[in-house]
Amino acid sequence: MQRTLAVAYGLVAYLIFFATFLWLVAFLAGLPFVPTTVDDGVNGQPLAQAMVVDLALIALFGLQHSVMARPRFKAAWTRIVPSSLERSTYVLAASLMLALLLWFWHPIEGTVWDVRGTAAEPVLWTVFAIGWAVLFISTWLINHFELFGLKQSWNHGRPADPGPAKLREPMFYRYVRHPLYLGFSIAFWSVPFMSIGHLLFVIGMQVYILIGIAHEERDLRAHFGSAYDDYSARVGKLLPGIGRRARPTA
């Protein structure tokens, strides 16, 4: 019964994540079938107030992601939540924080660029789709079900045997260390209409991505040791060949 409940919990967390993720895609694309979009939300607010609210929402989203992903927090958190449900709980919390951001987002008028109706529009929509495709494929390259907690909840109550840590470099990971973040970055910027509010969202999330990478690299280096140092020296951070780290000296 406990395992059945654990699997159900993991599945519900995953489905909530997937629905919220689709909302994010539609939010940025300005599609009409979601509750809010980046340029159509809470209106009539003064510019300064809208910017403060939007930046606070991004900061809360980033804080939740960064804190709950840290090994020290996980060690403390798994004293309360079973380790098999820790990842699903993280996914659920992240999804709820993202939904909060999307729901309460304040649009800000003003055009940064607008190439709708030109030859550039289908090109940008294609690149937009490519960004999400890179992101989605990357989750499968590193184990989609483990990344979103389904594997852990399925194994609830079974002896854990993670085995020795191995650093793999499948497909995109041979060229960039963080293809998940690269996919987000591509999609965030590749839209034919960029309002000031949309630009604020993109810049805020891009800053979070860079901060998240810094924390993640520290954790990966602690986990994989010299293997990750060698990988970082060969492979770029977000773009091929760019952001490689010098090997630490003895």
Side-chain angles (χ1 to χ4, degrees), residues 70-108:
R70 302 283 68 80
R72 186 174 298 178
F73 181 90
K74 291 179 182 181
W77 185 234
T78 49
R79 297 173 186 170
I80 304 170
V81 176
S83 59
S84 57
L85 300 182
E86 179 272 327
R87 187 65 187 180
S88 290
T89 303
Y90 171 82
V91 169
L92 178 60
S95 301
L96 294 177
M97 286 302 303
L98 178 58
L100 183 73
L101 188 161
L102 302 181
W103 184 265
F104 289 104
W105 181 261
H106 286 45
I108 300 174

Side-chain angles (χ1 to χ4, degrees), residues 166-231:
K166 294 181 180 179
L167 182 65
R168 300 185 302 111
E169 304 175 30
M171 200 172 171
F172 300 142
Y173 288 87
R174 298 175 186 174
Y175 309 103
V176 292
R177 303 198 297 274
H178 302 280
L180 285 167
Y181 291 130
L182 174 61
F184 274 121
S185 300
I186 293 171
F188 285 165
W189 289 98
S190 302
V191 290
F193 174 68
M194 179 71 75
S195 67
I196 291 177
H198 194 151
L199 181 63
L200 181 67
F201 180 93
V202 171
I203 291 176
M205 296 301 284
Q206 198 73 62
V207 169
Y208 161 68
I209 283 173
L210 295 176
I211 294 172
I213 286 175
H215 286 292
E216 188 172 315
E217 294 234 311
R218 183 185 61 191
D219 295 341
L220 289 169
R221 191 164 288 105
H223 187 70
F224 290 109
S226 60
Y228 197 79
D229 289 329
D230 293 338
Y231 178 57

